[in-house]
Amino acid sequence: MDIILGLVGKDYVMTVADRAQARSIVVFKHDEDKIFELDGHMVMATAGPQGDRANFAEYIQRNIQLYKYRNDLPLTTKGAANFTRNELATFLRKSPYQVNLLMAGYDEKVGPSLYYMDYLGSMHKMGFAAHGYGSYFTLSTMDRYYKEGMDLEQGKELMMKCIKMLQQRFLINCPKFICKIVTKDGITTSEL
């Protein structure tokens, strides 16, 4: 029931996630943060069962930090996405994590980037992406209104259109969303 969305703009990458933590027909809380900060310029939005989501995200977060300390060099977003995809594929053969991910980051040489990953270990660089039941409603909206090189206000406007579409058409009520925007200056967080 998780909903995660992401898009790449002119000089930023934006991720949005619902704030509900639910299982079956019960909602446990409405203040869950499903977007993990991996370092000062990289985030990972996660969807899946709570235990898998938290354990895998913390595992990736700690390993990215470990790489930085061992090599005195931070991973690029592409490097972190490839490492994460490889870990998903490895765990798929051992004890699989049922997590779907959007990894977003800003690198000085490359600029903003967004990587789509699913629980089977596939990965693709995208301009916009969505996971969860909400993707059935939001991908068509993103496809229609997304333009490469959108400024920040246009990106926020598009995400608000997606959220309105969900609140209007989706059977399950998702009243709160969190948004994390990654730019060259770092990560900013806001409620939508």
Side-chain angles (χ1 to χ4, degrees), residues 107-119:
D107 301 308
E108 282 188 34
K109 293 180 181 176
V110 179
S113 54
L114 176 70
Y115 290 89
Y116 173 98
M117 287 173 263
D118 69 8
Y119 72 101

Side-chain angles (χ1 to χ4, degrees), residues 12 16-17 20-21 37 47 57 69 103 110 117 127 176:
Y12 68 92
V16 173
Q21 180 185 338
E37 295 183 16
Y69 293 129
M103 187 172 287
V110 179
M117 287 173 263
K176 289 184 178 181

Side-chain angles (χ1 to χ4, degrees), residues 4 6 9 24 34 38 40 65 68 73-74 81 122 134 137 150 169:
I4 56 174
S24 184
K34 298 175 185 176
L38 302 178
Q65 291 299 320
K68 181 179 172 182
L73 182 72
S122 66
F137 303 97
M150 296 173 80
R169 301 212 181 268

